Amino acid sequence: MSKLPDFEGLAMFAKVAEEGSYAAAARLMSVSVPTVSRAVARLEERLGGRLFNRTSRQLSLTEFGQRIVEQAGDLYRQAEEMESSAQELAVQPRGLVRLAVPMSFGVRWVAPLLPKLMQQYPELTIDLHLSDASTDLIAEGFDAALRIAALPDSSLVARRICSVTQYLVAAPDYLATHGRPQHPRDLSGHPCMSYAYRARSELWRFTLQDGTEEHVQPAGPLRVTNSDALIPPLLAGLGIAELPEFIAHEYLADGRLEHLLPEWSMTRGGLYFVTPSARSRPRKVQALSDFFVEHLANPHWRWTP
């Protein structure tokens, strides 16, 4: 007897058991019925027991067959997945990828990468969904998403690309008129404009290096569902707001906005490439993940106070 396991026999046995007939299994595997029958008979002889009870009208597993069919099925699926992965690696990623991205981040940092992405993967089609609202990847049929900060859905698989810092900011004219807050508690006396889709809660969370924490409930004349809408009121000197670094950096760099409470850090999140599952991830989705890691892991939006 050969020491090499009868992989073909096990695979064909698993397919016959799954389909309930030799003919159906043969059709799906694109082989003849006699080929399947011989493979199962050879496996029965090798294992020393009957796998199926056969009648003219019905095919059912024997007790012996029931004991090994699950393992044989797992072996068949693993071989299919391995072959599929190998074939995808050998060819250019192709097909449709539905990708969800936050609006401001997508317009500022993903859209400029699209020409390079399209040139690098000409057989890939991207359905880009731009929205700050929380997206249910599984229920809404998305292949992946770029997400910032907290990731409460444990059914998702996340690949961290880079950190994303939040800054508390105001215009110099506002500070000249209303004064500069020295402690998070001072914010209660200032108009604080807020972002509606914060990852965890509407509280602003501040932390000192020694671990001291302060939580502030922002209150003011404006609450928005897109952080870019905060820029005009901020520049007009109408209040204080929290902005992510990928928006705030240009205004902080040229002095149009100033960083407040620099000794206190706000929520430190990250940019993540998120998928519903890591198992059997299509080559096209993996290629997209690798592309964003390559181009966004060391972002140009970093600002040094």
Side-chain angles (χ1 to χ4, degrees):
M1 180 186 296
S2 170
K3 292 183 179 180
L4 185 67
D6 186 357
F7 293 111
E8 182 185 63
L10 288 165
M12 291 189 173
F13 157 62
K15 204 63 179 174
V16 171
E18 181 180 321
E19 297 301 324
S21 80
Y22 281 79
R27 184 170 59 254
L28 288 172
M29 292 187 290
S30 300
V31 298
S32 67
V33 173
T35 297
V36 177
S37 180
R38 285 194 298 270
V40 173
R42 184 180 67 242
L43 183 64
E44 288 178 327
E45 181 178 355
R46 182 186 180 101
L47 299 178
R50 273 190 311 116
L51 298 170
F52 293 109
N53 291 314
R54 304 171 181 85
T55 68
S56 59
R57 295 185 178 181
Q58 189 176 8
L59 184 71
S60 61
L61 287 166
T62 63
E63 182 180 352
F64 178 59
Q66 289 174 345
R67 291 173 62 182
I68 68 169
V69 69
E70 184 175 347
Q71 291 172 298
D74 287 343
L75 185 65
Y76 183 85
R77 285 186 291 274
Q78 288 170 13
E80 279 189 320
E81 289 177 5
M82 182 190 69
E83 284 192 353
S84 177
S85 297
Q87 289 167 355
E88 287 181 340
L89 286 171
V91 299
Q92 184 83 329
R94 60 167 59 90
L96 174 67
V97 178
R98 299 194 68 226
L99 177 68
V101 180
M103 176 69 77
S104 294
F105 184 81
V107 171
R108 289 167 179 266
W109 299 103
V110 175
L113 293 176
L114 291 179
K116 185 175 293 186
L117 176 65
M118 294 165 69
Q119 291 165 359
Q120 185 170 334
Y121 299 116
E123 297 184 53
L124 209 58
T125 301
I126 306 298
D127 183 352
L128 183 61
H129 178 83
L130 295 171
S131 174
D132 284 356
S134 179
T135 303
D136 187 329
L137 298 192
I138 298 172
E140 298 180 42
F142 284 95
D143 297 294
L146 288 174
R147 286 192 174 170
I148 295 170
L151 298 171
D153 189 349
S154 61
S155 67
L156 302 178
V157 177
R159 180 181 184 184
R160 185 180 174 92
I161 297 176
C162 67
S163 63
V164 177
T165 302
Q166 301 290 123
Y167 290 118
L168 192 70
V169 298
D173 287 348
Y174 174 86
L175 298 175
T177 302
H178 301 279
R180 182 183 297 268
Q182 301 299 315
H183 191 279
R185 288 192 294 269
D186 297 342
L187 294 173
S188 61
H190 292 266
C192 295
M193 301 176 287
S194 59
Y195 175 62
Y197 292 133
R198 300 189 82 255
R200 290 179 182 265
S201 74
E202 295 184 2
L203 292 177
W204 286 353
R205 301 171 186 270
F206 297 87
T207 307
L208 283 176
Q209 285 190 349
D210 64 4
T212 301
E213 292 188 357
E214 287 285 343
H215 297 171
V216 174
Q217 176 73 57
L222 182 64
R223 186 169 180 263
V224 302
T225 59
N226 184 283
S227 292
D228 271 312
L230 295 170
I231 299 299
L234 279 169
L235 296 180
L238 298 178
I240 293 171
E242 172 196 38
L243 288 178
E245 186 179 12
F246 62 81
I247 294 178
H249 75 106
E250 61 180 284
Y251 301 97
L252 292 169
D254 64 16
R256 284 179 289 171
L257 293 177
E258 293 187 20
H259 181 203
L260 307 183
L261 305 176
E263 66 277 15
W264 294 84
S265 62
M266 299 193 76
T267 302
R268 292 179 177 175
L271 172 65
Y272 295 86
F273 187 86
V274 180
T275 54
S277 172
R279 184 180 181 186
S280 302
R281 177 180 290 172
R283 169 65 177 149
K284 59 186 180 180
V285 175
Q286 185 61 48
L288 202 60
S289 174
D290 294 341
F291 178 86
F292 285 126
V293 168
E294 178 184 356
H295 293 286
L296 295 174
N298 295 299
H300 300 298
W301 65 69
R302 293 296 184 223
W303 175 73
T304 302

